[in-house]
Amino acid sequence: MTRNASENQILTTSISRARKELTDLHDHFGLIPDHAVDATWEAVGSVEQSAAKLGLDSCDDLVANCSNVLTELTGLRAPTQFQPVDLAPALHTYRNAVATLVAAAAVTRRAEPAGALKKVTHLKKRTHELNRCASDDEVVLLRASVLAEVLHRQAHRRTFSRPVITYTLCDAGMNPGESTGFTAEHLQVDADIPTVTASGNRNLEDRQLPLDTFNRFVLQASVDSALKADHLTPTTTLSYAPRANQPGSKQATASAFGVLDRQLKTVGIDNLDLKASCIYRWRVDATRRTLGLTAAQTISGHRSLDGMFRAIGMSPDSLRRAPAPTQVRFDA
């Protein structure tokens, strides 16, 4: 299969340079959620060590030999086949670490990451679930892809991306339908804790969602581009361009779901156990794991804990038996 110039630039980047860029992305833009830092660097480091052992130097080598790297790391002889549920998570984590390095390589070239990401080995589904939360390593990969896209657009003075905004709003805690009503007026970045207003949708209450460093950078960069370069007004919806259908409608929500499904496909995690709502679900569940049930319910927008439980696809009993949360803070 032929490659375009952008893909060639990305894939000829050395693995060590991609790792350095990944570190810079985290240091400057908060790429990795606080609670996932150690696990992320452990997975990336394991991929680097395996690549060195196999004599791989460039991202092109890494992508071409991804299955060999996965086999070396997991002992699985056929990593692209269905795997037992106890072995699949590690396999997917390492695969996503490879893809995250490729996205970081795109940043070094200020190139669009999509073409190169499609070259990374695609795995069978991770679980037997039908609609699970995204995992931390999947979110790190999606964030790396989003940052590569934003920085590419800034470097080439291109307009803001509606899909980038949709992803980031869901990453912050909006469900896909809510995200379609976002305007510049909903973003508050000058407070001690920056927030974005989630306006509620059907069964969800309106609320203020705290933004971490990644959320804040992407939304602020997108709003700045919309207002200054594209000359849109502060009341213009930025993640959805309504024609006949209004933000929050079934049609608008379906549009947001389609946008998110395409993003999952772009980074190669479009399996049957992941749906577009997995990003919102991840934020609610990550809040539960780090700040506790009350904070998770607030982020989710649901009026009851049972509603929040259903939002992340877990039973109330299993969650109430969960370990005490780790105390972390949102980045200012």
Side-chain angles (χ1 to χ4, degrees):
M1 184 180 294
T2 58
R3 298 198 314 222
N4 61 36
S6 177
E7 290 172 28
N8 279 328
Q9 284 185 329
I10 294 169
L11 294 174
T12 55
T13 303
S14 69
I15 297 171
S16 60
R17 185 178 178 189
R19 165 60 188 258
K20 181 182 183 302
E21 190 63 53
L22 194 61
T23 302
D24 290 344
L25 287 176
H26 179 60
D27 290 344
H28 292 108
F29 306 114
L31 168 68
I32 307 170
D34 285 348
H35 66 273
V37 169
D38 291 345
T40 299
W41 291 131
E42 181 179 350
V44 170
S46 295
V47 167
E48 286 184 288
Q49 291 174 10
S50 177
K53 185 176 180 179
L54 295 173
L56 312 179
D57 178 67
S58 69
C59 288
D60 200 3
D61 296 335
L62 184 60
V63 168
N65 294 276
C66 184
S67 290
N68 294 332
V69 169
L70 296 179
T71 295
E72 202 276 328
L73 286 169
T74 64
L76 297 170
R77 294 182 178 275
T80 59
Q81 300 304 309
F82 285 106
Q83 303 298 335
V85 292
D86 58 329
L87 300 178
L91 178 67
H92 280 255
T93 296
Y94 291 132
R95 181 268 173 199
N96 291 336
V98 170
T100 300
L101 285 167
V102 171
V107 175
T108 70
R109 308 294 186 172
R110 292 300 188 265
E112 289 183 312
L117 284 170
K118 290 179 181 178
K119 307 291 184 182
V120 182
T121 297
H122 194 285
L123 302 179
K124 301 295 185 183
K125 65 180 183 177
R126 187 174 187 141
T127 71
H128 295 309
E129 298 177 42
L130 295 177
N131 191 7
R132 63 177 173 85
C133 303
S135 62
D136 292 335
D137 55 279
E138 289 164 338
V139 167
V140 171
L141 169 56
L142 285 159
R143 284 180 166 208
S145 175
V146 163
L147 283 173
E149 180 68 23
V150 170
L151 295 171
H152 162 72
R153 287 173 177 271
Q154 287 185 336
H156 296 276
R157 297 184 179 181
R158 293 180 59 187
T159 186
F160 72 98
S161 164
R162 295 186 192 278
V164 160
I165 295 176
T166 299
Y167 170 82
T168 307
L169 293 171
C170 294
D171 183 296
M174 287 193 200
N175 80 359
E178 285 181 297
S179 73
T180 60
F182 173 73
T183 72
E185 291 185 336
H186 291 144
L187 185 63
Q188 298 87 37
V189 295
D190 296 328
D192 291 339
I193 298 178
T195 62
V196 64
T197 301
S199 56
N201 187 24
R202 296 185 178 86
N203 297 322
L204 302 182
E205 295 188 334
D206 62 306
R207 59 207 182 279
Q208 294 298 119
L209 299 173
L211 303 177
D212 62 19
T213 302
F214 165 82
N215 302 143
R216 177 181 181 176
F217 167 73
V218 174
L219 292 178
Q220 184 67 69
S222 300
V223 166
D224 286 347
S225 173
L227 298 183
K228 297 175 184 178
D230 297 279
H231 307 294
L232 299 181
T233 68
T235 59
T236 302
T237 53
L238 300 181
S239 58
Y240 176 66
R243 295 184 176 87
N245 303 309
Q246 293 303 305
S249 65
K250 290 182 179 180
Q251 294 83 355
T253 300
S255 175
F257 268 72
V259 165
L260 293 166
D261 283 337
R262 287 189 289 276
Q263 288 178 310
L264 297 179
K265 185 174 183 178
T266 293
V267 300
I269 57 174
D270 53 321
N271 285 316
L272 294 177
D273 57 343
L274 275 187
K275 301 292 189 291
S277 59
C278 68
I279 310 304
Y280 161 73
R281 286 171 167 236
W282 167 81
R283 172 57 73 183
V284 176
D285 188 53
T287 304
R288 174 193 67 82
R289 287 183 280 133
T290 56
L291 297 176
L293 292 178
T294 301
Q297 181 185 345
T298 300
I299 291 291
S300 76
H302 285 276
R303 296 176 178 85
S304 69
L305 281 174
D306 284 348
M308 186 271 292
F309 294 148
R310 289 193 296 272
I312 59 177
M314 297 179 73
S315 71
D317 287 342
S318 66
L319 290 179
R320 287 175 178 131
R321 291 195 299 268
T326 303
Q327 295 300 313
V328 298
R329 62 177 181 83
F330 288 100
D331 292 313

